[in-house]
Amino acid sequence: MTRIVSQDPSLEPVAEVLTTLLQPHPPLAADLLLTLGEVTLSPGTAGEDECHRITTTPSTITCQARTPQAVFRAALRTALYGTQGLGVVEGGPRYGWRGLMIDTARHFWTVPELERIVDLAAVHRLNVLHLHLTDNEGWRIEIPGLPRLTADGPHYTVAEFGRLQRYAADRHVVIVPEIDLPGHCAAAVRAHPELGTVQTALGPMSISAFDARDPATRAFITHVLTELCRMTDGPYVHFGGDEAFGLDEQLFGQAVTLARDVIRSGGKSPLGWQESVRAGLEPGGIAQWWIDPSMIDLPADVALRPELAARGLTNELLAELAEGFAPTAGDLGRILASGGRVLLSPQTHLYFDRPYDLAIVPPEQRETAARLGFIYEPRTVRHFAAWDPTAYGLDTANVAGVEAALWSETLRGFDDLTFLLLPRLATIAETAWNGRPSAWPQQHDHLRASGRIWQQRGLTFLRTTEVTWE
Ligand code: TNX
């Protein structure tokens, strides 16, 4: 076992959780010393609280930072990936929000499964786990006073959610819970048919959205978000706001404004998908940017992508989708014009339900790779590794951070989940930390080292032929 010595009482919990996290891995030859103290602020980093200094001698590795969280991340990284020789290295992350979103609505992930994801997030120095807790397919979080929401489906109880947040906090990961409204609300309406909705259709799909003029619906939104704020330890509550097809701007604005007001009254900062900026945004407010018309890689004619036709997509539906997403063209501009901050989740590179290009999948994993992923064009791992967060020409002050997202429509179990996450999560996590993509040879070596770590942790991953795995 690696010997971990904390030189400050406030670092004892860090030492303890490091010991637990490092259990599956071979010990370090040197002792790991944890210490609090000032470090030089590295230029272009998220702030002093996140910066660290690592000093390596033949017998000891000292991880120093101003905060336990920065000591934790520096020490875990060093213990897993080693140091670059003897001497002193200083550093820190470029982006302060390095997140991963997991969809618990389309597939329910158990608490132990989520704990393994929290561990994985920590291994890759991520600090946010965003949980998409409700959607048309299911409602996954107990809300005190509204038992019908969770009467007939798997879900997290209040106590489980509390334990998960503490587990994550020990690993310096903040949980951001999301209740998706006013669209994506079918599960809530199944449980509470008395709620007022607006009904529309997208191709063959019928779609409902909350009607925020309805008093029962307003009371419901208020109740749910008030309770959620009470249950949430972290500073943020996400209210969704995406794809509210069928609602006009005014009705959409009413729902978003209500959600934000309730969340602020609950003492939390509201956060929504990019569409929510159409209801305005307060200066400094965050909107999660995931799409614009240039990112929608759907063809104008299904004949060009036979696999889409096989999934039931028609040209009529493609046209409706294109029309429904047309307003996304203005969202980024709206966020910037209101002095808001962008949480970068562009689906071209940060949506991990994008299928893998079968050309990079080894034969024994082809069957798995072929059934996983949404209707996006397949891509290689190098495509994700090349993602450059500075490519959008945004000012530092306008970027809240980076968040990858994994939607669960095609997933059947935990191995499917990690198969889509890994290896690309590691490349995006490095880019979020460094602020820019490293050159491929460096990324390659990092992935290769990561593969060993995932194997030791028993995690399934795509053994892409782009990497010479150990
Ligand atoms: C769009 S991304 C959605 C999700 C789907 C996802 C599939 C977003 C805010 N909404 O409901 O699961 O596409 O990639």
Side-chain angles (χ1 to χ4, degrees):
M1 211 165 60
T2 301
R3 215 166 79 91
I4 304 175
V5 184
S6 60
Q7 301 188 322
D8 187 289
S10 71
L11 292 175
E12 254 143 51
V14 172
E16 221 170 282
V17 81
L18 282 171
T19 305
T20 308
L21 274 168
L22 292 173
Q23 227 138 36
H25 306 287
L28 281 181
D31 289 346
L32 208 46
L33 307 186
L34 312 182
T35 178
L36 285 182
E38 291 303 315
V39 295
T40 333
L41 175 63
S42 312
T45 54
E48 293 167 296
D49 285 356
E50 291 265 30
C51 291
H52 60 249
R53 176 186 303 139
I54 300 169
T55 310
T56 307
T57 73
S59 58
T60 60
I61 302 170
T62 305
C63 299
Q64 174 165 326
R66 278 173 59 154
T67 60
Q69 94 223 21
V71 173
F72 168 78
R73 283 193 267 272
L76 182 57
R77 171 71 166 209
T78 303
L80 291 173
Y81 288 89
T83 58
Q84 305 138 342
L86 302 180
V88 181
V89 182
E90 293 187 337
R94 168 66 188 74
Y95 293 109
W97 181 310
R98 301 177 305 282
L100 170 65
M101 190 221 75
I102 296 288
D103 173 7
T104 70
R106 278 60 174 265
H107 184 98
F108 179 74
W109 308 104
T110 65
V111 172
E113 286 169 341
L114 287 185
E115 289 175 352
R116 293 185 75 189
I117 294 299
V118 169
D119 289 353
L120 180 64
V123 162
H124 294 289
R125 301 188 293 193
L126 301 180
N127 59 358
V128 173
L129 179 65
H130 164 181
L131 296 178
H132 184 73
L133 291 167
T134 71
D135 213 298
N136 298 327
E137 292 82 351
W139 186 286
R140 307 299 182 197
I141 182 85
E142 178 189 0
I143 299 293
L146 293 171
R148 270 151 61 191
L149 287 171
T150 44
D152 60 4
H155 62 273
Y156 312 110
T157 65
V158 174
E160 284 170 335
F161 185 64
R163 276 200 300 277
L164 177 66
Q165 290 180 96
R166 288 189 289 280
Y167 183 94
D170 286 344
R171 285 145 186 83
H172 300 280
V173 172
V174 174
I175 303 281
V176 174
E178 176 191 349
I179 299 289
D180 200 353
L181 63 90
H184 292 267
C185 67
V189 178
R190 275 197 302 279
H192 287 276
E194 73 277 9
L195 296 176
T197 58
V198 173
Q199 298 290 330
T200 47
L202 193 64
M205 294 173 280
S206 66
I207 296 188
S208 30
F210 282 135
D211 181 349
R213 288 169 303 191
D214 174 55
T217 299
R218 295 185 73 83
F220 175 84
I221 293 174
T222 303
H223 183 126
V224 165
L225 291 176
T226 301
E227 289 298 332
L228 187 66
C229 287
R230 218 171 264 159
M231 286 154 59
T232 300
D233 296 336
Y236 296 100
V237 166
H238 200 304
F239 59 84
D242 60 309
E243 301 181 322
F245 300 118
L247 279 192
D248 63 38
E249 226 158 84
Q250 204 200 343
L251 283 188
F252 178 69
Q254 279 178 14
V256 168
T257 303
L258 173 63
R260 286 183 181 148
D261 288 348
V262 175
I263 292 168
R264 281 196 209 96
S265 304
K268 305 292 174 186
S269 298
L271 162 80
W273 295 102
Q274 69 183 62
E275 291 93 326
S276 61
V277 300
R278 299 175 205 166
L281 186 65
E282 74 283 5
I286 299 176
Q288 190 164 5
W289 184 56
W290 66 281
I291 199 168
D292 71 21
S294 77
M295 290 193 227
I296 305 172
D297 52 5
L298 290 171
D301 189 336
V302 276
L304 296 167
R305 302 254 315 268
E307 79 279 11
L308 297 183
R311 288 190 184 211
L313 265 83
T314 58
N315 282 343
E316 193 195 345
L317 180 56
L318 287 176
E320 280 186 49
L321 284 170
E323 195 192 318
F325 285 114
T328 60
D331 290 338
L332 185 58
R334 286 182 195 102
I335 301 171
L336 300 177
S338 29
R341 289 184 301 151
V342 184
L343 180 57
L344 291 170
S345 300
Q347 58 107 317
T348 51
H349 295 84
L350 269 66
Y351 269 34
F352 292 162
D353 56 339
R354 181 176 290 280
Y356 289 118
D357 185 338
L358 292 179
I360 55 138
V361 177
E364 66 279 10
Q365 292 189 310
R366 290 237 170 103
E367 217 181 297
T368 308
R371 74 179 163 78
L372 295 178
F374 203 58
I375 56 177
Y376 307 121
E377 294 255 28
R379 295 280 182 235
T380 62
V381 170
R382 285 189 72 160
H383 162 84
F384 295 88
W387 180 62
D388 186 350
T390 67
Y392 309 100
L394 301 169
D395 272 359
T396 316
N398 290 122
V399 181
V402 170
E403 189 171 289
L406 179 52
W407 302 94
S408 301
E409 283 93 339
T410 61
L411 307 185
R412 296 183 196 152
F414 191 72
D415 287 343
D416 287 353
L417 177 86
T418 62
F419 184 84
L420 285 184
L421 284 181
L422 307 175
R424 43 196 166 178
L425 180 66
T427 74
I428 295 299
E430 289 307 287
T431 300
W433 184 277
N434 297 324
R436 276 173 178 275
S438 304
W440 175 250
Q442 262 168 285
Q443 300 225 38
H444 174 279
D445 293 351
H446 180 71
L447 291 183
R448 186 179 149 94
S450 300
R452 172 174 34 83
I453 291 162
W454 299 328
Q455 219 152 348
Q456 289 162 355
R457 303 192 74 78
L459 298 170
T460 298
F461 60 98
L462 169 72
R463 298 183 67 88
T464 171
T465 56
E466 299 157 285
V467 172
T468 316
W469 301 102
E470 281 177 12

